Amino acid sequence: MSPFLEIYHSDRILEIKMQSNEKNTFDFATFQAFENLLIKHASDEKIRVLLFTSAQTQFFSNGIEPTLMYNKSDAEVRDAVTLLIRCATLYFNFPVPTIAVINGHCMAAGAVFALYSDYRYMVDKGGRIGFSEALVGLNFPSAPTMVLRDLVGTAKSRDLLYNGKQLKGSEAKEIGLVDEIFPIESLFLESKKLAESLAKLTYNSARGMKTAQRSYYQPIIDSITQRDIDTFVETIQSNDGQEGFLSLIEKRRPKFST
């Protein structure tokens, strides 16, 4: 089974629905599949808006599959991290507006994809969103840190990253991390209404406005990507990073050495 479904609601609205596993985690093949979809649809001149959704009921995405990073060689981890960051950057720069429909828990790398969307609509109850890397002994890349800071402010982004706090929908909306919250029964309907409004944009408006909002970031991201990869690989391969991923696999609290 493919980890993603491609659903056209019209020739201008594309929905990519994630169905990788029960928690919608990303392993290497899932990242590859998502990258291929983004490249494929970026060249479709008819598309005006992308809905990023989940086929699961409790999770939008729980981030990286822990086994992807545990007990792997340096080369394997570097390949995985490089693919992760390349895929996230492709999504950030996808040429038309993107809407993350957050119907459940949205953590770590999953929260980065939500952050990198143009719009975030979230369920009002039963879901949490957060950047939980610090809780498992990891660092956080500079590129999404910059985007998060610009979205919610320096103090709030600082607290989210240091504390790894997982926010309810109402808390996320209060600080501007998500745009709107809705009951689960109407979440997709409201998201589709937004998509239908954006789908009225002309080709030049849809792509031109997106480029205008991303062009500031691109040279900065290009300049820090290699450092982000190197630092993340080093942290993952540290004793504490490996303990963090092992704790996720064993479903327990980590026991750090430093």
Side-chain angles (χ1 to χ4, degrees):
M1 182 178 71
S2 171
F4 298 96
L5 295 173
E6 303 165 77
I7 303 167
Y8 284 91
H9 296 279
S10 71
D11 62 352
R12 292 188 167 207
I13 299 174
L14 171 67
E15 178 185 357
I16 294 181
K17 185 184 290 287
M18 189 172 179
Q19 55 172 13
S20 62
N21 52 49
E22 64 179 10
K23 292 186 178 181
N24 268 351
T25 53
F26 284 86
D27 61 13
F28 199 88
T30 304
F31 278 125
Q32 284 184 317
F34 196 36
E35 178 184 41
N36 290 338
L37 282 177
L38 293 172
I39 293 171
K40 168 187 171 182
H41 291 296
S43 62
D44 187 341
E45 296 184 356
K46 296 187 299 295
I47 293 175
R48 298 292 186 271
V49 58
L50 170 64
L51 285 160
F52 187 21
T53 68
S54 166
Q56 312 306 340
T57 57
Q58 293 184 314
F59 288 87
F60 174 74
S61 171
N62 208 39
I64 298 171
E65 176 58 40
T67 55
L68 178 62
M69 300 297 185
Y70 179 69
N71 199 27
K72 297 294 191 295
S73 68
D74 288 351
E76 289 173 314
V77 171
R78 181 169 293 276
D79 285 346
V81 169
T82 301
L83 177 59
L84 183 166
I85 290 180
R86 187 171 70 235
C87 190
T89 303
L90 274 171
Y91 182 76
F92 183 66
N93 290 312
F94 194 76
V96 298
T98 53
I99 305 168
V101 185
I102 307 167
N103 65 314
H105 300 311
C106 179
M107 299 298 164
V112 170
F113 281 107
L115 172 69
Y116 275 8
S117 302
D118 291 280
Y119 296 89
R120 287 157 295 279
Y121 277 12
M122 186 173 176
V123 66
D124 62 348
K125 297 177 182 177
R128 299 289 187 274
I129 183 170
F131 305 92
S132 52
E133 283 79 1
L135 301 181
V136 289
L138 301 178
N139 67 325
F140 195 72
S142 298
T145 298
M146 175 177 59
V147 177
L148 179 63
R149 183 194 63 217
D150 288 350
L151 183 65
V152 304
T154 300
K156 291 182 176 65
S157 64
R158 172 200 65 198
D159 294 344
L160 284 171
L161 295 179
Y162 280 137
N163 298 327
K165 186 176 181 180
Q166 301 168 14
L167 302 179
K168 300 176 183 178
S170 58
E171 295 171 320
K173 185 177 187 300
E174 183 178 355
I175 68 169
L177 182 56
V178 301
D179 296 284
E180 298 290 349
I181 56 174
F182 297 100
I184 189 61
E185 297 80 9
S186 59
L187 176 62
F188 182 77
L189 177 62
E190 295 295 335
S191 301
K192 191 165 179 285
K193 286 180 181 178
L194 174 61
E196 289 169 346
S197 176
L198 293 168
K200 297 175 184 176
L201 290 166
T202 66
Y203 172 90
N204 288 330
S205 293
R207 292 180 175 246
M209 298 300 181
K210 183 64 175 275
T211 299
Q213 294 179 76
R214 295 298 194 248
S215 60
Y216 165 80
Y217 291 102
Q218 198 54 56
I220 305 173
I221 290 176
D222 288 345
S223 70
I224 61 179
T225 291
Q226 191 58 55
R227 186 181 64 186
D228 274 352
I229 292 170
D230 293 342
T231 305
F232 204 32
V233 169
E234 181 179 354
T235 303
I236 289 169
Q237 291 293 73
S238 70
N239 290 336
D240 286 335
Q242 287 295 288
E243 165 61 16
F245 279 111
L246 181 59
S247 73
L248 293 173
I249 294 169
E250 296 181 344
K251 299 180 180 179
R252 59 169 174 80
R253 292 183 180 275
K255 300 174 183 179
F256 298 127
S257 60
T258 59

